[in-house]
Amino acid sequence: SRRALSKKQKKLIKINLKKFLFDKEKVKKSENILEIGFGYGENLVNFSINNPEKLIIGCEVYEPGIANLINKLESKKINNVIIYPENIFYLFDKLKKNSIDQIFVLFPDPWPKKKHFKRRLVSKFLLDNINRILKKGGEVFISTDSESYLSTILIEFFSNKHFFWMNK
């Protein structure tokens, strides 16, 4: 469901997004973390506060979530986060090979209707792109509360030779 942006949210995106916008020159040679679909940014903010030495890249298309994140970054004076406000598959083309240490995909839309399964984020195509940008020994963290989507996620990862399961 699309939610209309408030005046404050529109202003945050129009004026304040540019200082947080993704620029491949900002991607560090040291530790880089990517969160795909950060929602309203709660995990991203907490992670950035607890890891000030790391660069956190947040990718999200949902504008109210982007505005909420910008507001939190500014109020907490966080400066180790950059935002890519477009589809993750465009970002993959901008990231260098082996440039990301950890990737978080927290509660992606499960698209529960069978006719919408093709819209699910976790797929062979996603994993091939993740494999390209992930450093050797890098980690991918995925969580879902959908049993049906969990099955899809497990099948995709177990059938991909580039990943092995570390869940305890």
Side-chain angles (χ1 to χ4, degrees):
S1 65
R2 302 288 296 162
R3 199 177 95 194
L5 291 172
S6 68
K7 284 183 181 180
K8 180 182 178 187
Q9 289 174 322
K10 286 179 186 174
K11 183 180 176 193
L12 281 168
I13 288 176
K14 185 176 180 184
I15 297 169
N16 302 35
L17 175 60
K18 59 182 149 244
K19 66 180 147 189
F20 297 105
L21 260 181
F22 175 86
D23 175 351
K24 63 182 172 185
E25 300 304 315
K26 293 179 183 176
V27 179
K28 298 177 179 182
K29 288 188 171 60
S30 59
E31 282 199 71
N32 299 300
I33 311 302
L34 171 63
E35 184 168 348
I36 300 172
F38 59 75
Y40 284 99
E42 297 88 352
N43 181 65
L44 201 145
V45 167
N46 289 329
F47 202 79
S48 65
I49 289 169
N50 293 320
N51 298 276
E53 75 290 354
K54 298 177 183 178
L55 176 70
I56 318 298
I57 305 165
C59 182
E60 179 61 72
V61 295
Y62 183 60
E63 288 185 325
I66 294 168
N68 189 64
L69 176 61
I70 293 168
N71 192 35
K72 286 180 181 175
L73 295 176
E74 292 193 323
S75 68
K76 297 179 184 295
K77 299 190 181 352
I78 295 170
N79 60 11
N80 63 329
V81 172
I82 55 178
I83 300 170
Y84 189 78
E86 295 180 51
N87 187 300
I88 185 60
F89 293 103
Y90 299 132
L91 178 58
F92 285 134
D93 293 336
K94 298 175 187 317
L95 291 169
K96 290 181 181 164
K97 185 176 181 175
N98 305 320
S99 61
I100 303 296
D101 296 271
Q102 293 179 322
I103 297 174
F104 290 83
V105 184
L106 305 178
F107 302 97
D109 192 330
W111 294 101
K113 294 181 182 171
K114 194 160 183 80
K115 68 180 181 180
H116 294 144
F117 278 9
K118 63 186 174 280
R119 295 182 180 175
R120 287 179 165 178
L121 177 65
V122 179
S123 64
K124 180 183 181 331
F125 187 60
L126 177 80
L127 297 187
D128 288 346
N129 279 282
I130 285 176
N131 181 56
R132 188 185 68 75
I133 64 165
L134 199 60
K135 289 180 182 175
K136 184 175 169 80
E139 298 174 304
V140 179
F141 299 91
I142 297 184
S143 59
T144 183
D145 51 7
S146 164
E147 228 174 275
S148 136
Y149 201 3
L150 177 61
S151 297
T152 300
I153 291 168
L154 292 172
I155 289 166
E156 290 298 337
F157 273 93
F158 283 125
S159 63
N160 190 308
K161 67 179 188 227
H162 299 291
F163 298 94
F164 65 91
W165 194 254
M166 293 174 44
N167 190 4
K168 296 177 179 134

